[in-house]
């Protein structure tokens, strides 16, 4: 059975790229969010197997959304999307419960590897 | 990867971002409130960040590098409520115009634009604030004016990053 992923990024370009990579890799896209608030709402609505959160988003950042999602569902499987220069924020996200992170620009093999491993860890408890 | 589809998306979204950035710049020029200033600075920062990511995904190094420099240049202003002075606003305007030209080149040729070393060089100097918002002159002024840049880029960076990797691989 395919695993479902919630994509969160304010850039349509990045959402499209992740959607293409993940569907090509056999994943279902549960929903797409354009900011942290929508990510939280869609997480509650769809209960996806994995959430991808961009760090820099309007209204509510990925880090703030991560903290709220982890408070609601401590076993949530979240992977952060970051850029070079955001190392401190990535560290904060890992400490807040993110399983892993992907640095932009996205490389399809790397995205699928990180997502697959995060879900494996999630399944293994 | 369908390069043409992503090139189209890049041109459309980057142009939308540049329009939004121009609006933010206009808001900054109009003697805005502290909240308006913070929102405008945040918009400029986020849009530059987004253009950087999209351009890097398509290997447009000249675009991502200029957007990255603008993003870094904006960082000390975020959340500070500081109104950039006329020189800083003029520099933002020049960089936005440069980015517009680069995106137009991608649109018309499909190729990576030439680097804009002149603009990158101008962004090497930190932003300056409007006269009424400047702290008194003194040797500690810069450290107090730009604390976020110093703390993120220089203080304990290596140690924190190695901790991040330890956390990641320990699982």
């Amino acid at each position: 059975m395919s695993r479902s992923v919630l994509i969160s990024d304010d850039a349509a370009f990045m959402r499209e790229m992740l959607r293409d990579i993940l569907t090509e890799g056999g994943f279902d896209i549960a929903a797409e969010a354009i900011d942290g608030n929508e990510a939280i709402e869609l997480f509650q609505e769809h209960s996806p197997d994995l959430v991808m959160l961009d760090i820099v988003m309007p209204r509510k950042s990925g880090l703030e959304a991560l903290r709220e999602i982890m408070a609601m569902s401590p076993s949530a499987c979240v992977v952060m999307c970051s850029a070079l220069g955001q190392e401190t924020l990535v560290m904060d996200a890992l400490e807040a419960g993110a399983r892993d992170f992907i640095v932009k620009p996205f490389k399809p093999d790397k995205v699928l590897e990180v997502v697959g491993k995060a879900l494996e860890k999630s399944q293994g408890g | 990867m369908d390069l043409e589809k992503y090139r189209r998306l890049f041109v459309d979204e980057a142009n939308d971002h540049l329009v939004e950035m121009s609006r933010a710049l206009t808001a900054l020029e109009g003697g805005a409130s502290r909240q308006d200033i913070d929102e405008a600075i945040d918009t400029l920062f986020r849009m530059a960040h987004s253009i950087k990511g999209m351009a890097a995904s398509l290997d447009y190094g000249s675009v991502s590098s200029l957007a990255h420099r603008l993003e870094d240049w904006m960082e000390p202003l975020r959340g500070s409520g500081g109104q950039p002075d006329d020189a800083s606003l003029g520099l933002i305007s020049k960089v936005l115009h440069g980015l517009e030209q680069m995106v137009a080149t991608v649109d018309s040729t499909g190729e990576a634009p030439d680097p804009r070393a002149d603009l990158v060089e101008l962004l090497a100097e930190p932003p300056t604030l409007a006269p009424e918002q400047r702290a008194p002159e003194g040797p500690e002024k810069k450290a107090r004016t730009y604390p976020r840049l110093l703390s993120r880029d220089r203080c304990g960076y290596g140690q924190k990053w190695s901790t991040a990797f330890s956390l990641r691989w320990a699982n």
Side-chain angles (χ1 to χ4, degrees):
Chain A
M1 193 179 78
S2 316
R3 312 303 295 274
S4 62
V5 179
L6 165 61
I7 294 171
S8 315
D9 198 307
D10 56 325
F13 178 99
M14 292 300 174
R15 293 197 304 275
E16 180 89 11
M17 189 165 267
L18 279 177
R19 189 192 315 138
D20 284 353
I21 293 170
L22 292 167
T23 50
E24 188 74 19
F27 293 93
D28 283 336
I29 306 304
E32 295 181 20
I34 60 168
D35 61 35
N37 286 328
E38 209 172 271
I40 293 164
E41 282 170 25
L42 292 171
F43 173 78
Q44 290 173 301
E45 190 179 329
H46 295 274
S47 302
D49 295 307
L50 183 139
V51 183
M52 301 197 75
L53 281 176
D54 185 31
I55 288 182
V56 178
M57 289 193 287
R59 290 173 284 281
K60 185 166 282 179
S61 74
L63 196 52
E64 291 169 309
L66 167 72
R67 290 194 170 113
E68 289 194 34
I69 287 171
M70 296 312 294
M72 283 187 290
S73 176
S75 61
C77 184
V78 181
V79 169
M80 305 304 290
C81 301
S82 74
L84 288 174
Q86 294 183 318
E87 291 80 5
T88 306
L89 293 171
V90 167
M91 191 201 71
D92 290 346
L94 292 171
E95 285 177 349
R99 296 294 166 97
D100 211 333
F101 61 94
I102 298 167
V103 180
K104 295 176 189 174
F106 297 129
K107 304 288 180 209
D109 290 351
K110 184 70 184 169
V111 171
L112 295 174
E113 180 195 330
V114 169
V115 166
K117 280 187 179 170
L119 283 167
E120 271 176 35
K121 279 185 208 168
S122 184
Q123 246 178 347
Chain B
M1 186 162 92
D2 182 350
L3 269 181
E4 188 47 42
K5 176 177 82 167
Y6 286 109
R7 191 175 294 134
R8 196 70 259 149
L9 272 170
F10 166 73
V11 169
D12 290 347
E13 196 158 15
N15 278 326
D16 287 348
H17 284 359
L18 288 164
V19 168
E20 208 170 325
M21 291 167 94
S22 293
R23 281 199 198 110
L25 181 60
T26 305
L28 283 176
E29 287 166 345
S33 67
R34 170 163 183 156
Q35 188 184 346
D36 290 341
I37 291 170
D38 280 346
E39 281 176 14
I41 296 288
D42 190 57
T43 296
L44 286 161
F45 177 87
R46 279 190 299 100
M47 300 288 104
H49 176 81
S50 185
I51 291 172
K52 174 188 79 173
M54 291 189 287
S57 301
L58 292 172
D59 284 333
Y60 298 144
S62 55
V63 185
S64 69
S65 149
L66 180 57
H68 191 176
R69 291 305 288 264
L70 177 60
E71 179 191 5
D72 282 352
W73 186 86
M74 302 289 310
E75 172 68 26
L77 295 169
R78 288 184 84 199
S80 72
Q83 166 86 41
D85 66 6
D86 288 347
S88 290
L89 293 175
L91 176 52
I92 296 171
S93 176
K94 272 186 198 168
V95 174
L96 294 188
H97 185 57
L99 287 169
E100 276 168 13
Q101 290 175 321
M102 288 172 140
V103 174
T105 300
V106 171
D107 191 18
S108 58
T109 69
E111 301 295 324
D114 290 333
R116 289 294 304 269
D118 56 329
L119 295 175
V120 168
E121 196 178 321
L122 289 173
L123 290 169
E125 289 297 317
T128 44
L129 298 181
E132 62 274 17
Q133 298 201 359
R134 284 181 197 146
E137 291 298 332
E140 293 178 12
K141 175 176 174 281
K142 279 197 172 178
R144 289 207 312 273
T145 309
Y146 307 112
R148 297 187 64 176
L149 182 65
L150 289 172
S151 62
R152 174 166 299 182
D153 289 355
R154 295 179 194 164
C155 300
Y157 167 94
Q159 187 183 357
K160 284 188 165 185
W161 191 224
S162 60
T163 308
F165 275 105
S166 306
L167 282 170
R168 185 180 168 213
W169 294 114
N171 291 327

